Amino acid sequence: MNCTKLFNPSAWVFWMTLVFVCVLKAQNTEVPREIQDLDSSAELVLYRRIMPDNREEMYYLIKGQFFQTTRQVGEPWGKINTSDSVLGIYVMKHWPALRDDVVKPFRLKSQSTAGNMGIQNQNNSPDKNTRSITREHVLAATELNSKDLFFKYVLFYRNIMVEPEFYQKDIDPMWAEENVTFTFNQTLKLTKMHQIMDAVFLY
């Protein structure tokens, strides 16, 4: 079998049904079509969909070689390129943590009351734990929500599949001062994996 082939219909019919469906059905998990279409000999798969860009990315391991490819939703997969092993090794090394990691949603550090939504009084200089959020911060956060990227992952390794998802703002250092959950999210192996995947796909 040619390792560089992404699609193999005959292998899909037999192996995907036998291996992925049976194993994952036991976990009450529906096998995503993107994974079903992948060559059945894949040992590790990382699939990421980025919305609202509707971009899909796939990184996978077959017979000791890592590959990567991208596409727009609904389009054929693009050129399949060989990839380095850094991302794959990280996932394999930290798989137990990655199976359980959940990114906490963005939450403002301080919610101002309706009467205190104006700009902070210059005479009041609250410390970093109690400082109020100005109206401008709240409006900016609301505006970013409408533009924020959303990441939906499918991670498959050792016949186990997990599907983490989160918004860019949940982990973005640009919003660290406003986000209560930022420090926690930075401790997650999932956040680090996401950063490595960004590097692989050149963000």
Side-chain angles (χ1 to χ4, degrees):
M1 182 183 296
N2 185 345
C3 292
T4 61
K5 287 183 102 178
L6 179 62
F7 300 107
N8 187 328
S10 61
W12 176 80
V13 171
F14 178 73
W15 288 108
M16 296 309 289
T17 302
L18 182 63
V19 179
F20 288 113
V21 176
C22 290
V23 171
L24 297 176
K25 187 175 180 182
Q27 301 175 29
N28 294 320
T29 304
E30 183 179 343
V31 182
R33 177 64 188 215
E34 295 77 21
I35 302 254
Q36 290 179 7
D37 288 342
L38 193 61
D39 189 303
S40 62
S41 59
E43 304 161 47
L44 175 147
V45 181
L46 278 72
Y47 162 83
R48 176 167 76 174
R49 182 171 180 182
I50 305 170
M51 295 169 276
D53 292 353
N54 285 326
R55 176 182 170 92
E56 295 176 301
E57 301 164 339
M58 187 102 70
Y59 174 94
Y60 56 98
L61 171 66
I62 294 179
K63 296 182 180 178
Q65 177 64 62
F66 291 95
F67 300 93
Q68 66 184 84
T69 185
T70 63
R71 71 176 179 184
Q72 289 298 116
V73 172
E75 298 294 325
W77 287 103
K79 182 181 178 183
I80 301 166
N81 297 306
T82 57
S83 189
D84 66 43
S85 62
V86 174
L87 177 58
I89 289 172
Y90 184 86
V91 170
M92 291 185 281
K93 180 178 179 182
H94 298 290
W95 183 240
L98 289 168
R99 288 173 55 186
D100 297 329
D101 278 355
V102 176
V103 173
K104 291 185 178 181
F106 175 94
R107 188 162 52 92
L108 287 173
K109 282 189 177 176
S110 175
Q111 296 286 353
S112 298
T113 61
N116 292 326
M117 290 296 285
I119 298 176
Q120 298 182 130
N121 184 332
Q122 293 296 335
N123 296 327
N124 287 338
S125 49
D127 65 33
K128 65 179 180 180
N129 295 321
T130 61
R131 73 182 184 85
S132 62
I133 303 298
T134 67
R135 179 174 176 78
E136 286 74 18
H137 277 105
V138 174
L139 291 174
T142 302
E143 181 182 359
L144 185 58
N145 272 336
S146 65
K147 300 176 181 176
D148 200 10
L149 292 178
F150 178 72
F151 299 94
K152 181 173 179 58
Y153 277 92
V154 177
L155 312 178
F156 177 84
Y157 181 55
R158 293 182 177 169
N159 290 330
I160 295 172
M161 186 175 73
V162 293
E163 301 180 79
E165 52 188 48
F166 53 88
Y167 286 91
Q168 178 65 33
K169 191 174 64 174
D170 301 337
I171 61 171
D172 195 334
M174 185 172 76
W175 286 88
E177 291 185 14
E178 283 77 22
N179 185 5
V180 171
T181 64
F182 177 80
T183 301
F184 171 82
N185 289 339
Q186 294 307 301
T187 67
L188 298 175
K189 301 300 182 187
L190 181 60
T191 300
K192 179 64 176 178
M193 184 208 75
H194 174 74
Q195 293 165 349
I196 297 171
M197 192 154 179
D198 278 351
V200 167
F201 288 94
L202 303 178
Y203 281 93

